[in-house]
């Protein structure tokens, strides 16, 4: 892993603004946070598995960003998400039953299972974790969530923001497209590492694209 401070130093070097005159540090941190969230959400690099025991509802993990899929433990059919405000007025959902649950809702920081169960059911839910919250007070010690070999790809997002601020549309579009390309490639690369038995070298992967 690499520190956020080191990454921002590289960004300032790229735009030749080591004194932070064109891009104040709080703005650079805001750009970093926005790009980091978008990158990790779309590449799904930061994952965990949640296995709650639920009858009616349960509090979501504090680092929960979004679910990938929700199943009953040992089940093969994913549960379907439904709107919470519709579900609470559906009698077949709110009456306790022993039927296998088929639906769920999220509202606020809570997760709801439908129909409500007479006894606890264990779920399996791989999910995307929230990235580290980076602020002006911790950016010098905070570590990047993105693995080191992928971190330079976030620089394209930062440069797109920079050229947008300078109203240089052609360069802004160039770096936005580059960021989109990296997100797609990196998701495929990361998944190949997760599921393939052999190790894939990043350098070889991009040379062959």
């Amino acid at each position: 892993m690499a520190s956020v401070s080191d990454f921002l130093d590289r960004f300032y070097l790229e735009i030749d603004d080591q004194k932070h005159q064109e891009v104040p540090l709080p703005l650079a941190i805001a750009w970093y946070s926005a790009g980091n969230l978008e990158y990790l959400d779309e590449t799904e690099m930061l994952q965990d598995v949640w296995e709650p025991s639920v009858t009616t509802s349960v509090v979501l993990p504090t680092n929960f960003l979004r679910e990938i899929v929700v199943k009953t433990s040992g089940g093969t059919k994913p549960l379907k998400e439904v709107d919470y405000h519709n579900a609470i007025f559906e009698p077949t959902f709110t009456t306790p039953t022993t039927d296998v649950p088929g639906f769920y809702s999220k509202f606020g920081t809570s997760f709801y299972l439908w129909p409500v169960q007479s006894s606890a059911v264990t779920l399996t839910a791989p999910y995307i974790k929230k990235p580290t919250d980076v602020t002006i007070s911790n950016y010098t010690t905070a570590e990047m969530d993105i693995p080191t070999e992928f971190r330079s790809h976030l620089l394209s997002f930062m440069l797109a923001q920079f050229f947008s601020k300078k109203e240089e549309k052609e360069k802004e579009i160039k770096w936005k497209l580059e960021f989109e390309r990296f997100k797609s490639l990196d998701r495929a690369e990361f998944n190949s590492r997760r599921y393939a038995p052999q190790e894939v070298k990043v350098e070889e992967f991009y040379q062959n694209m």
Side-chain angles (χ1 to χ4, degrees), residues 1-206:
M1 294 294 185
S3 72
V4 174
S5 179
D6 289 342
F7 175 80
L8 293 179
D9 285 345
R10 179 175 176 182
F11 166 67
Y12 280 118
L13 187 62
E14 286 284 336
I15 64 173
D16 194 22
D17 185 26
Q18 289 90 331
K19 293 185 179 180
H20 308 174
Q21 293 178 333
E22 283 199 84
V23 181
L25 186 57
L27 180 58
I29 291 173
W31 288 351
Y32 166 83
S33 297
N36 190 43
L37 178 62
E38 182 178 329
Y39 180 89
L40 290 170
D41 184 16
E42 295 193 27
T43 61
E44 299 187 345
M45 285 189 181
L46 212 59
Q47 291 190 22
D48 205 343
V49 178
W50 186 43
E51 297 181 307
S53 182
V54 192
T55 51
T56 305
S57 66
V58 65
V59 176
L60 290 163
T62 56
N63 65 350
F64 180 92
L65 180 61
R66 66 171 175 84
E67 72 278 18
I68 298 172
V69 66
V70 179
K71 297 179 180 179
T72 54
S73 182
T76 57
K77 186 177 180 181
L79 276 65
K80 181 179 179 181
E81 185 172 13
V82 295
D83 181 79
Y84 168 78
H85 296 94
N86 291 333
I88 58 175
F89 293 110
E90 174 54 58
T92 59
F93 278 7
T94 56
T95 303
T97 181
T98 57
D99 293 344
V100 176
F103 304 91
Y104 70 95
S105 301
K106 301 188 302 292
F107 184 68
T109 59
S110 295
F111 176 97
Y112 298 84
L113 189 62
W114 313 114
V116 170
Q117 299 293 291
S118 299
S119 57
V121 173
T122 301
L123 303 177
T124 299
Y127 69 97
I128 308 300
K129 297 193 292 183
K130 291 179 182 177
T132 303
D133 185 25
V134 177
T135 66
I136 195 72
S137 62
N138 72 355
Y139 84 99
T140 58
T141 56
E143 294 293 316
M144 292 185 72
D145 301 291
I146 300 172
T148 302
E149 63 267 38
F150 296 102
R151 64 174 175 157
S152 63
H153 300 171
L154 187 56
L155 195 61
S156 57
F157 178 90
M158 302 285 289
L159 291 171
Q161 300 305 306
F162 173 67
F163 288 114
S164 174
K165 181 176 182 293
K166 290 175 67 69
E167 298 184 346
E168 296 186 29
K169 199 67 180 177
E170 188 174 331
K171 291 182 179 179
E172 176 193 353
I173 292 173
K174 170 194 170 183
W175 288 109
K176 278 185 176 179
L177 291 175
E178 191 75 350
F179 186 55
E180 292 300 318
R181 186 176 74 90
F182 278 136
K183 284 187 296 183
S184 178
L185 291 174
D186 293 353
R187 176 169 178 162
E189 160 65 4
F190 194 73
N191 282 334
S192 74
R193 290 184 177 195
R194 182 181 299 147
Y195 300 117
Q198 73 277 10
E199 182 178 347
V200 179
K201 293 184 179 180
V202 176
E203 296 81 5
E204 293 178 1
F205 178 83
Y206 286 105

